[in-house]
Amino acid sequence: MNVLLLAGVASALLALVARFVSMQKKRREWKSFQTLRVVVDYDRPPEQLLADGGYDMVYQEIDSKFWREVQLQGAWFPIAGSGKREVEIILVDYGRAIESDEVIGDFASRSVRPADPFEILTLGATYPDLQRHLRIVALGNSAFSPLDSPRNVLELISFSQGAQREVHLYKWSHWPPDGYRFACVAV
């Protein structure tokens, strides 16, 4: 009887270890990534960064109140600095549905951090055609909003087959596998 019990426990442990290894393997896999360099001016007013991007539409909730909240909540992911600095932004495609918290954990394990709003807006201004083909998300410095989710992040997207470039707030959530790229920066 003890042998059967031990065999059952051993089998359950092996299954648990196999599941953990499988999850770790998935976590380590990036379907693809792209690296781009930008010069970020962390002292530039956010409203000017939006104007620099020449976006066709900026979500109405991205106003001065949004930026104040980003600054107040910056302890979660501090704004990366002040002044001008060249930054290498990595756009990661997981090629599968993924949770925001899983992306953050993966980034931490790779010694990268989520791009902040200043970095993603500079990316959009520097490479305006990029978001015509990709949906780019910056999980750094989420802000609370009166929308349906307590945490929202910036997303660069396009509509009308890439004809209209937009900046949206999107809720911290589960991301589908179609076309999302998560922006990160080396620590």
Side-chain angles (χ1 to χ4, degrees), residues 1-11:
M1 175 121 171
N2 286 340
V3 172
L4 289 176
L5 181 63
L6 286 175
V9 170
S11 177

Side-chain angles (χ1 to χ4, degrees), residues 66-85:
F66 169 82
W67 294 107
R68 278 193 308 277
E69 289 184 21
V70 165
Q71 294 294 339
L72 289 173
Q73 298 162 23
W76 190 54
F77 286 112
I79 297 296
S82 60
K84 288 185 179 180
R85 193 171 91 212

Side-chain angles (χ1 to χ4, degrees), residues 31-72:
K31 178 181 175 188
S32 66
F33 67 93
Q34 179 178 9
T35 303
L36 301 158
R37 290 186 182 275
V38 296
V39 176
V40 180
D41 184 350
Y42 294 98
D43 296 328
R44 195 159 181 80
E47 294 81 6
Q48 187 59 50
L49 289 171
L50 289 165
D52 294 346
Y55 300 101
D56 297 303
M57 186 187 133
V58 176
Y59 195 80
Q60 67 184 7
E61 294 289 325
I62 304 172
D63 57 12
S64 56
K65 180 182 176 196
F66 169 82
W67 294 107
R68 278 193 308 277
E69 289 184 21
V70 165
Q71 294 294 339
L72 289 173

Side-chain angles (χ1 to χ4, degrees), residues 107-124:
F107 284 177
S109 74
R110 295 173 185 269
S111 297
V112 295
R113 63 168 174 75
D116 68 32
F118 288 83
E119 293 157 347
I120 194 173
L121 291 176
T122 301
L123 179 74

Side-chain angles (χ1 to χ4, degrees), residues 34 91 93 127-136 155-166 177-181:
Q34 179 178 9
L91 300 179
D93 176 11
Y127 301 97
D129 288 333
L130 195 60
Q131 80 185 76
R132 294 186 194 282
H133 311 285
L134 307 171
R135 299 178 82 141
I136 304 168
E155 175 187 28
L156 303 181
I157 61 174
S158 69
F159 288 102
S160 303
Q161 298 176 332
Q164 185 165 325
R165 296 173 53 244
E166 300 183 9
D178 55 344
Y180 284 92
R181 301 299 184 274

Side-chain angles (χ1 to χ4, degrees), residues 132-146:
R132 294 186 194 282
H133 311 285
L134 307 171
R135 299 178 82 141
I136 304 168
V137 179
L139 293 175
N141 291 87
S142 66
F144 291 87
S145 169

Side-chain angles (χ1 to χ4, degrees), residues 174-186:
H174 176 84
W175 300 90
D178 55 344
Y180 284 92
R181 301 299 184 274
F182 298 89
C184 64
V185 176

